Structures are given as structure tokens and as C-alpha cells.
Amino acid sequence: MLNENIKAIRKSKGLSQQELAVKLNVVRQTISKWEQGLSVPDSDMLISLSEVFEMPVSTLLGERVIESEVDDIKAISAKLEVINLQLARRKTTRKRILSWFLISLCVFIVAIFAILLAIESPYLGWDYSDPETTVLGVAFHSFEWLFIRVAPIILIGAVIGLFFTWK
């Protein structure tokens, strides 16, 4: 039991047999014999071991110490896998939302262009002597003028964005 505890604690602390031997001023073979159960450390050496391992002698002499390093690595790896899957789903969702937004933007711009072509700028034939018609005509003309100049740039940007977000 002591031999298993020494080996398990040494490994959990990340020490090699040689490193532990140097800290205890013994040869590596002594550590190997302790871990194989061929010999046991004396009481002074047990105290030194407990100081190096930073745990009480009773823990060294007590029940078997379970190596938690392998279990910890598996647990961390499982958690990282879950996090990676969540991030991948979030990225896919964002990409899908962006694609649908760009498609909607393209459809909206094309629809407005179709409407403007169908009505053939009716504000040009309006009677501008009426103040209400004048304001409405200027607003409609401003919208059309701005839309005709800005919409193609936005449409091209949306199509390029769709190209890059497409699977």
C-alpha cells in the first residue's frame, strides 16, 4: 500500500523517480525499490517524503491514493469538447442568421427597384403648385435619388457577403 501511494503521489506531483531521488538525497534505484515494494523507507525518510509531497505521513501510510491526473485530463477534455461543440453551433447559427439577413436585404432591394421601375417616377408629372404635393414630390424624389445611388453598392456588398457565408 505504501509503495502504491508513493508512486501515485509522485506521478500526481509530476515528478520522475530521478527528481524525487534528488530531492530526498537518495539514488533513483531506492525510489524504484520503494515503489516496487522491495523495500520501505525508514521513519526519517517518511517524514522527508511527506515534506516533499506536502502531505501528512498518515496519508502516505493510509489507504491507496488514486491517481487523479488521468481522470482530470479526461474530464477537462470532455468539458473542452462540449465547449467546442457549443462554439461550433453558435458560429453556425450566426452564419445562418447572417446569410438569411443578406438574402432578405437583396430581395428587398430588388423589390424596391422593381417598384420604382413599375411606377416610372410619377412625381415628375405632379402639380407642384400645391404645397402638399410639392413636399411629397421632393421627398419621393430624394428617396429615389438616394436609393438609386446607394442601393447598388449595398446589393453588391450583400451578394459578396452571401458568397463568403455560403457553405
Side-chain angles (χ1 to χ4, degrees):
M1 191 168 318
L2 174 63
N3 59 334
E4 295 168 357
N5 287 347
I6 292 173
K7 185 175 184 177
I9 295 168
R10 176 184 60 80
K11 285 186 175 183
S12 70
K13 296 286 185 181
L15 296 171
S16 67
Q17 287 183 345
Q18 183 62 40
E19 291 169 332
L20 181 58
V22 168
K23 289 185 178 205
L24 296 172
N25 285 333
V26 295
V27 292
R28 187 200 56 80
Q29 288 80 3
T30 303
I31 305 296
S32 177
K33 287 180 182 178
W34 292 344
E35 289 181 356
Q36 292 175 8
L38 301 176
S39 69
V40 291
D42 61 12
S43 60
D44 292 333
M45 197 52 67
L46 275 174
I47 294 171
S48 298
L49 267 170
S50 71
E51 290 171 356
V52 169
F53 289 150
E54 298 174 343
M55 60 181 48
V57 175
S58 60
T59 304
L60 288 172
L61 297 173
E63 292 185 18
R64 171 182 243 194
V65 175
I66 299 171
E67 283 186 56
S68 61
E69 183 177 324
V70 175
D71 293 336
D72 288 346
I73 291 173
K74 286 181 183 177
I76 291 170
S77 140
K79 287 178 184 177
L80 285 175
E81 186 175 343
V82 168
I83 290 170
N84 283 337
L85 286 172
Q86 289 173 344
L87 289 174
R89 283 187 197 131
R90 186 178 295 160
K91 182 178 179 183
T92 303
T93 303
R94 285 182 183 165
K95 195 173 181 182
R96 191 175 300 132
I97 290 170
L98 180 62
S99 293
W100 280 110
F101 173 75
L102 292 174
I103 289 171
S104 301
L105 185 63
C106 289
V107 168
F108 177 75
I109 289 172
V110 169
I112 296 294
F113 267 121
I115 291 170
L116 289 176
L117 284 174
I119 61 174
E120 297 177 0
S121 299
Y123 65 88
L124 294 176
W126 288 351
D127 178 19
Y128 284 95
S129 60
D130 183 21
E132 291 175 2
T133 309
T134 305
V135 171
L136 188 60
V138 170
F140 191 76
H141 175 68
S142 300
F143 167 75
E144 188 178 59
W145 183 86
L146 184 64
F147 185 81
I148 296 297
R149 279 147 185 80
V150 174
I153 296 168
I154 295 172
L155 184 65
I156 291 170
V159 170
I160 290 171
L162 276 172
F163 177 75
F164 284 118
T165 59
W166 207 257
K167 291 182 182 179

